[in-house]
Amino acid sequence: MKCTRCRAKAAVALPRHNAGFCPECFLVFFSRQVEKAIKDKKLFTNQDRILVALSGGKDSLALARELQNMEYDVTGLHIDLAIPESSERARGHVIRFCRDYQIPLHVIELEREDLPIPKLKKFFKRPVCSVCGQIKRYYFNRFALENSFSVLATGHNLDDEAARLFSNVLRWDTAYLGDQGPLLPDEQGFVRKVKPLYRLSEFETANYSFLSRIDYSFTPCPYSKGASFTFYKKILDELEHHQPGRKISFYEGFLNRARNTFARLDQEQGKEPAPCSCCGYPTTTGICGVCRIRKTISSRTTASQPTFSRT
Ligand code: AMP
Ligand code: FES
Ligand code: ZN
């Protein structure tokens, strides 16, 4: 197969684009997809201070590198979940990446917040990954606001977004459907949240990281085995295999034709956020999810005040 752009030998085949690219042209293709996402959805401009949530995996490191190449103002934030072995490894990848590419980095340690994930696992019946997700989102938002970042960017890719949409549709979870998308504007105590990789698949971000020689962490979360998301991703992969382009049309079709309807529905139901009565950060439930987590475990442990460290 020949490269669609320059006719050299292609290294990456992309059936959904009916195209193949040599390594150099693949990197150009990748940049254009990110640029298109930023411009089409008006995610941010060169005036914004962007905090990129860095897990140490291929997606978030690829995102930070690409935004840096595009000369955006980028700073990294890593949350150390205190999971034996995997957290230390992930943090090491993030620290080395930021050192090598000279990206400022902040690290929040959940151990110091008295919220280490292995400890929380014992207190909750629901999957600990959902507790973890809630805590990460809380600290992303809080750190961004307290440190004057105008945008919080995550490395969610097309596979993540399509699987989430599939899951929300299966449950007809209208609140989540109204809230899903590559841009959540800043409002009432929430920083603007963006997902500039939403047009790129996991395969494409893996190729980008490999071709850019980014040393990323391969270790999946040890607690996520058997998660329904993994199963949904497999189903969508199968669909994509038979009908190339199905994932992006499913997701973009939702953004263009259905999302606003669900968002309006949510507004009509009057779920306006108000400050959490414990920590002051916004919630629709009186006390926010993280303060409720703290309350649940406070009978056995004493919650400490948040402290942020810079590396
Ligand atoms: P995941 O939910 O693990 O697929 O991660 C989705 C995105 O959330 C990643 O691409 C990162 O941008 C961000 N993220 C996940 N875990 C962390 C972490 N421990 N620290 C900082 N950002 C994270
Ligand atoms: Fe954090 Fe599984 S515990 S993602
Ligand atoms: Zn709170």
Side-chain angles (χ1 to χ4, degrees), residues 107-241:
V107 176
I108 295 174
E109 296 175 353
L110 290 191
E111 187 76 60
R112 292 179 65 174
E113 302 299 314
D114 209 14
L115 293 169
I117 297 300
K119 173 176 148 186
L120 302 189
K121 201 171 176 310
K122 298 176 199 144
F123 289 86
F124 295 90
K125 285 206 183 77
R126 64 179 162 130
V128 76
C129 291
S130 100
V131 179
C132 172
Q134 201 169 15
I135 293 173
K136 284 189 288 200
R137 286 191 296 277
Y138 175 88
Y139 281 107
F140 291 163
N141 189 56
R142 181 167 179 163
F143 188 87
L145 290 176
E146 285 180 354
N147 293 278
S148 307
F149 289 94
S150 47
V151 177
L152 183 275
T154 54
H156 290 96
N157 58 42
L158 176 60
D159 295 74
D160 297 326
E161 288 298 279
R164 177 169 299 281
L165 176 59
F166 190 63
S167 160
N168 290 339
V169 167
L170 283 181
R171 290 178 288 111
W172 287 117
D173 194 325
T174 53
Y176 281 127
L177 283 165
D179 233 13
Q180 184 173 0
L183 168 68
L184 287 180
D186 53 324
E187 52 176 7
Q188 303 177 64
F190 289 108
V191 70
R192 189 189 329 159
K193 297 193 185 69
V194 299
K195 298 170 182 170
L197 300 185
Y198 83 92
R199 300 183 53 81
L200 290 148
S201 69
E202 214 152 288
F203 173 75
E204 288 157 2
T205 58
N207 270 288
Y208 176 91
S209 292
F210 175 75
L211 294 172
S212 306
R213 298 198 167 81
I214 293 173
D215 178 22
Y216 60 87
S217 168
F218 284 91
T219 325
C221 167
Y223 303 133
S224 70
K225 285 192 193 86
S228 50
F229 255 49
T230 318
F231 179 55
Y232 297 151
K233 280 187 177 176
K234 271 193 197 146
I235 294 175
L236 292 169
D237 278 344
E238 182 77 12
L239 194 61
E240 181 75 16
H241 178 71

Side-chain angles (χ1 to χ4, degrees), residues 53-55 59-60 77-79 81 136 140 154-156:
L54 298 175
S55 62
D59 305 303
S60 53
L77 173 66
H78 175 66
I79 300 190
L81 308 173
K136 284 189 288 200
F140 291 163
T154 54
H156 290 96

Side-chain angles (χ1 to χ4, degrees), residues 36-43 182-183 198 252 255-256:
K36 182 167 168 52
I38 296 169
K39 297 276 164 352
D40 282 4
K41 302 294 177 203
K42 298 189 172 54
L43 300 184
L183 168 68
Y198 83 92
E252 287 217 305
L255 293 180
N256 296 334

